[in-house]
Amino acid sequence: MEFRGVMGGLYRISEWIMRLSVINLLWMLCSIPVFFFTFMGLVSPSVDALKASLPIIAILAPFTLFPATSAMFAVARKWVTGEEDVPLLKTYFRGYKENYLQSMVGGIFFVIIFVIIAVNYFFYLKQGSSLKLLAVLFIAFTVIIIISLFNFFSIMVHLHMKVLQILKNAVLITIGNPINSIVLLLCNGAILYICLTKFNFFLVVFFMGSIMATFSFWQFNRSFTKLQTKQQELEEKEQQRLAEAQEEEAQSDAEAVTEGEEESKKEISLHKKDENEKTRD
């Protein structure tokens, strides 16, 4: 039974609330160790407790948080590409299983990069005024890596590539589309800020991750579709150019054949003329 009008709108809103909340809960359940140590570090009155939990979070994230996030992006991909009524549990855990290895390897890579950036940032921050400028450079690196992280998950669930190819393309897309990258960063930053400051517990538990994943993949899919369209247009232009070149070549060959036939006719006529003159003599 399909509702229309106001009831239909309310039904669709409630349906999307259910979808987003279910996937967000699955994401958090599959990442319990990471969220547990993060929560314990944040609620602790001592800053040292948070610092002590960071290494544990860094070790656990590639094996729990990254595969769970890849599964969430796999569901978001279905929604964005028009498959809204997919079974949530089945789709989520299928994505979790299929992308576990690649997401784990990618997670190890990103964790190492973040650790290197953090170590260098705090090192140069303690140096003289001239070297402090390098700390700003590492902040820019951090922004690029964060945006690349969203693109990494989108590429992994959308395209069949090896891990190194996914990582390379994620960085290239981030750098090659600065406007889309800035929009992606600002919108996800706004979602994160609202979820952490306004009704923080409710929004974080039920909506934060799923909304960010859905928006991130929508933004990536929009850019990827435009890129495909431009590539198809370039291929069509190249095919048209080749066809025109072949047509011109065929015309030139035909003209050359025609000229050759005319020259041969002239030679034949000259030979006949010479023969006639000989006959007269």
Side-chain angles (χ1 to χ4, degrees):
M1 182 177 179
E2 184 178 352
F3 296 100
R4 296 182 180 180
V6 177
M7 290 298 296
L10 292 174
Y11 176 76
R12 287 189 61 80
I13 291 172
S14 63
E15 194 175 31
W16 274 107
I17 289 173
M18 183 271 296
R19 290 170 181 165
L20 292 169
S21 59
V22 167
I23 295 305
N24 203 85
L25 285 171
L26 289 172
W27 174 60
M28 295 197 71
L29 286 172
C30 293
S31 310
I32 280 181
V34 172
F35 284 108
F36 173 77
F37 285 104
T38 303
F39 179 76
M40 294 301 293
L42 291 174
V43 298
S44 176
S46 174
V47 180
D48 295 332
L50 179 60
K51 291 181 180 179
S53 64
L54 288 177
I56 301 174
I57 294 170
I59 294 170
L60 293 173
F63 305 98
T64 56
L65 180 62
F66 277 79
T69 306
S70 68
M72 182 170 59
F73 269 78
V75 180
R77 174 185 175 274
K78 295 288 186 181
W79 292 342
V80 173
T81 55
E83 300 180 50
E84 299 177 357
D85 297 325
V86 292
L88 298 179
L89 292 174
K90 184 178 179 181
T91 306
Y92 182 88
F93 286 108
R94 182 190 297 166
Y96 189 95
K97 181 181 178 181
E98 290 177 352
N99 301 311
Y100 185 87
L101 183 60
Q102 286 189 329
S103 59
M104 182 190 69
V105 175
I108 294 172
F109 172 80
F110 278 106
V111 167
I112 292 173
I113 293 297
F114 280 124
V115 169
I116 293 172
I117 290 174
V119 170
N120 283 276
Y121 171 76
F122 288 109
F123 172 77
Y124 287 108
L125 195 63
K126 295 177 182 178
Q127 304 303 314
S129 58
S130 59
L131 292 175
K132 276 187 178 180
L133 294 174
L134 292 174
V136 179
L137 182 63
F138 284 104
I139 293 175
F141 284 155
T142 304
V143 171
I144 293 173
I145 295 300
I146 290 173
I147 301 171
S148 300
L149 184 60
F150 290 109
N151 289 324
F152 168 77
F153 287 115
S154 297
I155 295 172
M156 181 171 53
V157 300
H158 193 56
L159 302 172
H160 294 287
M161 291 183 178
K162 294 181 179 179
V163 180
L164 291 177
Q165 291 177 323
I166 297 173
L167 292 169
K168 182 182 72 174
N169 286 312
V171 176
L172 290 176
I173 290 174
T174 301
I175 299 173
N177 297 293
I179 297 176
N180 290 332
S181 299
I182 292 171
V183 171
L184 180 64
L185 181 68
L186 291 178
C187 291
N188 279 329
I191 294 169
L192 185 65
Y193 175 78
I194 293 171
C195 290
L196 293 177
T197 57
K198 309 292 182 182
F199 310 105
N200 50 3
F201 179 78
F202 176 77
L203 292 178
V204 169
V205 172
F206 291 100
F207 296 106
M208 185 184 74
S210 55
I211 291 176
M212 291 176 71
T214 304
F215 173 77
S216 298
F217 187 83
W218 175 82
Q219 183 75 2
F220 165 79
N221 189 60
R222 193 169 66 92
S223 302
F224 183 73
T225 304
K226 287 182 179 179
L227 185 64
Q228 277 187 318
T229 303
K230 288 182 180 179
Q231 187 175 0
Q232 288 177 355
E233 290 177 354
L234 290 174
E235 289 178 355
E236 289 176 357
K237 288 181 180 179
E238 184 66 18
Q239 290 176 356
Q240 185 177 0
R241 187 184 67 80
L242 290 173
E244 291 176 354
Q246 290 176 355
E247 187 177 352
E248 290 177 358
E249 186 178 355
Q251 287 179 355
S252 62
D253 291 341
E255 290 175 357
V257 170
T258 305
E259 290 177 358
E261 289 177 353
E262 291 178 355
E263 289 178 358
S264 61
K265 287 179 180 179
K266 288 180 180 178
E267 290 178 358
I268 292 170
S269 61
L270 288 172
H271 285 308
K272 286 184 177 179
K273 186 177 180 182
D274 293 337
E275 291 175 358
N276 292 332
E277 289 178 353
K278 288 180 181 179
T279 304
R280 289 176 184 176
D281 293 338

